[in-house]
Amino acid sequence: MILSLAAVAAMSSGGGSGLNYSSPLDSFDSSTSWILGEDPSNSSEPVVRTLTPDLQPATTAVAVQEVNPWDVALCVTGTLISCENALVIAVLFYTPTLRAPMFVLIGSLAAADLLAGLGLILNFVFTYLVDSSVEYVTLLSVALLISAFSASVLNILAITVDRYLSLYNALTYHTERTVTFTYVMVVLIWASCLALGLLPAFGWNCLRDESACSVCRPVTKVNAVVLAVTFLLVFALMMQLYLQICKIAFRHAQQIAVQHQFVAMSTTKGVSTLSAILCAFGACWLPFAMYSIVADSSYPAIYTYATVLPATCCSVINPIIYAFRNPDIQKSLWLACCGCVPSNLSLRPRTSSDV
């Protein structure tokens, strides 16, 4: 009503004045559409125009990205990985007796898997809660995942080498293998893995050329093949080392005639455990490594998810294989949880050669 009277007043006074009149309607947003209702049959009288907003629904709709169940599975896996390995790191940090070279390697492996789990969670956040079209967000997520998973694989190799040396040089192992040497090896592992993770950020990516992408954007096909071939070489080296460990273990069993039956049973159990560890590692990583070599970005995404998910599960079982089976870590967990140690828990110190 007030706007209608203002419009009439403006029309009646506009003819005799040379001033530029600024109508109150000018303050409205020009993007808002208005319906002007008037009676065209009586054009001689001043037209009273009623302004009503156009209540038609907006044509621009907010696009809601549908959540992929595979991404949810990876995020849940990352959460489980983070919780497991955070527990391992906490036990190693708050237990002063767990400072031997073996535990340094276990702690480094747990840190790598923890970062891998956090990387999976951040990747989900960046995909659905942050604008993933921003380049630095994508490159940050990829750098974290490549560095963490590469460090996880190389730390497993370092633990395998440590077990082999503890058997091959059993008499001089504890004097030659110092904590300082172990820390130097861990630093070299992390430096090399960080360099691998930063390659996409330094320009070795396919953000400008989608045809050069691998199954994991923005990693290039060449970069993915190099990483996959490197993993295959690491896996072959691990197989050779575990084979040598089995040979040395059987040789030691034959040399101890007094405990022949006991040692034979113990050695057989150790070989079975080694075989299970190697098979689990291969089953997790080999499908993704082989698929990265033969496939590219044109392949269906479901195949990539189906091979990536088992690879991430390797970081779920690593704490169980390398940490929670250790009697010293088990004792620390029991003391932290209930303040006691079960009587059936072995009190024998764990050595690097134990599996």
Side-chain angles (χ1 to χ4, degrees):
M1 180 65 180
I2 296 176
L3 292 177
S4 300
L5 294 176
V8 173
M11 294 179 61
S12 61
S13 60
S17 174
L19 297 177
N20 294 328
Y21 176 76
S22 176
S23 173
L25 301 179
D26 295 339
S27 62
F28 286 92
D29 189 358
S30 60
S31 61
T32 306
S33 60
W34 299 82
I35 299 176
L36 303 180
E38 62 179 280
D39 184 8
S41 60
N42 188 8
S43 59
S44 61
E45 296 181 0
V47 178
V48 178
R49 304 184 179 185
T50 58
L51 305 179
T52 58
D54 186 2
L55 299 179
Q56 295 180 356
T59 58
T60 303
V62 179
V64 179
Q65 186 175 1
E66 184 179 357
V67 178
N68 191 327
W70 288 98
D71 289 328
V72 175
L74 289 174
C75 184
V76 173
T77 304
T79 304
L80 181 59
I81 293 172
S82 302
C83 294
E84 280 185 321
N85 290 279
L87 179 60
V88 174
I89 293 175
V91 170
L92 295 176
F93 183 80
Y94 288 105
T95 307
T97 58
L98 303 180
R99 296 292 185 269
M102 174 184 59
F103 296 111
V104 174
L105 295 176
I106 292 176
S108 179
L109 174 62
D113 287 333
L114 174 62
L115 290 178
L118 294 177
L120 292 174
I121 298 174
L122 290 178
N123 183 68
F124 182 85
V125 173
F126 290 159
T127 302
Y128 295 100
L129 302 180
V130 181
D131 186 7
S132 59
S133 62
V134 182
E135 289 187 2
Y136 77 88
V137 172
T138 304
L139 295 176
L140 174 63
S141 176
V142 170
L144 179 58
L145 289 173
I146 292 178
S147 299
F149 281 113
S150 299
S152 178
V153 172
L154 291 184
N155 275 292
I156 293 176
L157 176 62
I159 292 175
T160 306
V161 173
D162 183 69
R163 288 175 171 175
Y164 169 74
L165 293 177
S166 66
L167 286 174
Y168 185 76
N169 299 322
L171 298 178
T172 59
Y173 169 80
H174 294 285
T175 57
E176 295 178 352
R177 189 65 182 276
T178 61
V179 177
T180 303
F181 177 80
T182 306
Y183 275 117
V184 171
M185 183 171 59
V186 169
V187 169
L188 292 177
I189 289 175
W190 280 97
S192 59
C193 293
L194 183 61
L196 288 175
L198 291 178
L199 285 179
F202 289 154
W204 203 4
N205 59 67
C206 61
L207 293 176
R208 300 291 185 272
D209 184 11
E210 294 293 335
S211 62
C213 285
S214 65
V215 293
C216 295
R217 185 182 180 276
V219 180
T220 62
K221 175 67 175 179
V222 176
N223 193 359
V225 171
V226 170
L227 292 174
V229 172
T230 302
F231 166 79
L232 294 178
L233 294 176
V234 169
F235 183 69
L237 180 58
M238 287 181 59
M239 290 183 62
Q240 181 65 26
L241 289 173
Y242 274 128
L243 180 62
Q244 296 299 321
I245 290 175
C246 293
K247 290 182 178 180
I248 295 174
F250 278 117
R251 189 184 309 125
H252 288 175
Q254 294 175 356
Q255 292 174 352
I256 306 177
V258 177
Q259 300 177 350
H260 177 73
Q261 182 179 1
F262 171 77
V263 174
M265 294 175 59
S266 177
T267 304
T268 303
K269 180 181 178 182
V271 171
S272 300
T273 305
L274 287 176
S275 302
I277 292 173
L278 196 60
C279 290
F281 182 74
C284 289
W285 278 105
L286 281 178
F288 179 66
M290 300 301 296
Y291 182 72
S292 298
I293 294 176
V294 301
D296 54 30
S297 58
S298 63
Y299 281 62
I302 188 173
Y303 297 149
T304 303
Y305 282 115
T307 54
V308 167
L309 186 58
T312 59
C313 290
C314 184
S315 296
V316 176
I317 64 177
N318 282 341
I320 301 174
I321 294 176
Y322 299 100
F324 295 145
R325 292 176 59 250
N326 187 291
D328 295 322
I329 295 180
Q330 289 179 11
K331 287 186 290 184
S332 300
L333 287 173
W334 278 104
L335 289 173
C337 295
C338 61
C340 62
V341 179
S343 58
N344 59 348
L345 186 63
S346 175
L347 299 178
R348 178 179 61 85
R350 186 81 164 182
T351 63
S352 300
S353 59
D354 291 335
V355 292

